[in-house]
Amino acid sequence: MTQPEQRQEAREKHQEPAKPQAFVLLELLNHMVLVAREAKRRGFRVIALNHGPLQAAGPFAVPDGLVDEVIPVASWTDGTVRPLLDDVLGRFSVAGTYAAFEGALRHEAELRERAGLPTTGAAQVARALDKFWVRRTLYAAGLTGLRSETLDEALTWDHWNFDRPAVLKPANGTGSALCFTVGSLDELRAAADRVAAASVVNTLMKDFILAHGAFVLEERAEGELLSVESLVDQGEVRVVGLTGRYLSALDPVVEQGVVFPYHHPRHDEIVARAVELHRALGITHGPTHLEVMVPDEGPIELIDFNLRTAGVGMAVCIGNAFAVDYAVPLTDLACGRAPDLSFLTRAPRYSADMLLLPPPGAAEMKRLDFPAGTEYGRLTKAVGEPLSGRADQLDVVGMVVVTADSAPELHHKALAARRDTLFDGRPLGDNPNNQLISPRFHHLTASRG
């Protein structure tokens, strides 16, 4: 054996064994189980860093054997997470990561940086999660006409300094929790008092909102609220489609359903603006979900920039629309591989996820039964859990997905699913809480049908 061969043999003898490849999910819940299944199918060891328990019931339940290891997270808002990342990196070669809860996104970005995976970066993600920083950055770049101010500063005003009503919301928020529309100093102070009470039931959301503390006041945009779903691959923004919304007729702020895809006459302008927003905020990798306000004419305004896939059952709806397992491109992106998006050239079907409110005055839910022909029906309130009797977004008791070949058919199936769902054995029917405002252009198409 030659000397070079001897040296090589010595190196191999002292070389540490290869670490097993792991796919890490941070706060595994809801549609993330679909990504976990795809990661498992690819042969990765599936690791979940979770504050809450894994879901045990419903269509997004985590089956036995899917997750190889659950690492408990005491809180996503304190300094205990980094040692957990150290442990994971010490034991595994991290091949991919996925998160969909805002409180875990900073930590996911740090893990990706340390694992050498494509990422926007922990520092930039932290900035982009701050709604005050986002609005000020876009205002300076000429990409928004909406002014903003911190709540602390606004409470020092001696008169209303905006030309229109404004929305008070957490600078680091999730969903629509603790958001209030105000148009005067009296209304602002009243909303600030409600903010101080922090009446958010979901502890995961509440901890994230309160950990960062600050609230921002933003001028309110006018128009139709819709969403832009994108996959960003190392700087290239690929818009997957637009999502329309069903709203409550009693309170148009309350979202009651999402429909994908949503064909809007300003589609190309919306897509172009979405690409500009990504670039202005330095978002270079991962799934995104932008909420935008689109008037008939004039500037398209960003309402919220989410560094994650859309919530509710949108991963299912997008997959239904294009007849694909949408977890596949999500997992590709999570592993730093360019996703195959050739499915975007197909003529889509149409899919909706409907949010169900209890009938007026209901104090308790004993059971909820979804009608035939629907899928991914799941409870969002525990059986026997007291209900408030109100009709806001925190009162939704269930969600269900419907799919159809055309927008008009989907519209009729979605409304029928709402009417025919049984609450304590009786159809929800056409009770006042079940009256909707349809996505504007989807509804017009459906009416012509």
Side-chain angles (χ1 to χ4, degrees), residues 23 35 56 79 251 255 385 432:
F23 190 96
V35 176
D251 183 356
E255 184 177 300
E385 180 180 345

Side-chain angles (χ1 to χ4, degrees), residues 180-314:
F180 304 94
T181 298
V182 296
S184 68
L185 290 183
D186 286 343
E187 290 177 354
L188 175 62
R189 294 181 184 115
D193 290 341
R194 295 180 66 184
V195 160
S199 55
V200 178
V201 176
N202 184 300
T203 56
L204 201 62
M205 293 168 58
K206 181 175 179 177
D207 287 349
F208 174 63
I209 291 169
L210 297 184
H212 301 282
F215 278 72
V216 60
L217 187 67
E218 293 183 350
E219 288 187 308
R220 188 180 70 184
E222 300 295 335
E224 181 184 8
L225 181 64
L226 54 88
S227 302
V228 187
E229 321 305 342
S230 302
L231 299 176
V232 188
D233 179 25
Q234 300 189 60
E236 181 183 5
V237 181
R238 298 293 302 275
V239 173
V240 175
L242 308 183
T243 298
R245 281 172 166 75
Y246 283 96
L247 304 173
S248 167
L250 290 178
D251 183 356
V253 171
V254 178
E255 184 177 300
Q256 284 294 281
V258 289
V259 55
F260 183 92
Y262 181 47
H263 301 301
H264 194 282
R266 299 187 69 182
H267 174 276
D268 291 348
E269 296 175 74
I270 296 167
V271 168
R273 177 50 61 95
V275 173
E276 288 181 311
L277 294 170
H278 280 84
R279 290 175 178 163
L281 298 178
I283 308 304
T284 59
H285 197 81
T288 62
H289 164 65
L290 277 60
E291 298 178 13
V292 295
M293 193 71 80
V294 184
D296 290 339
E297 298 178 348
I300 296 161
E301 286 285 1
L302 176 74
I303 300 301
D304 211 358
F305 198 115
N306 297 286
L307 304 173
R308 56 170 174 79
T309 307
V312 296
M314 278 303 302

Side-chain angles (χ1 to χ4, degrees), residues 38-110:
E38 176 60 19
K40 190 75 167 183
R41 187 190 68 80
R42 298 185 187 194
F44 297 130
R45 189 172 178 83
V46 176
I47 309 297
L49 274 67
N50 262 57
H51 174 71
L54 299 182
Q55 287 175 261
F60 292 129
V62 179
D64 291 341
L66 176 61
V67 177
D68 295 288
E69 182 179 351
V70 178
I71 300 175
V73 177
S75 171
W76 289 109
T77 59
D78 59 25
T80 65
V81 179
R82 181 163 292 173
L84 303 181
L85 303 186
D86 293 341
D87 173 63
V88 169
L89 289 164
R91 293 188 291 127
F92 301 104
S93 173
V94 176
T97 73
Y98 191 81
F101 166 58
E102 279 82 355
L105 292 176
R106 293 174 175 83
H107 307 293
E108 187 209 12
E110 178 185 342

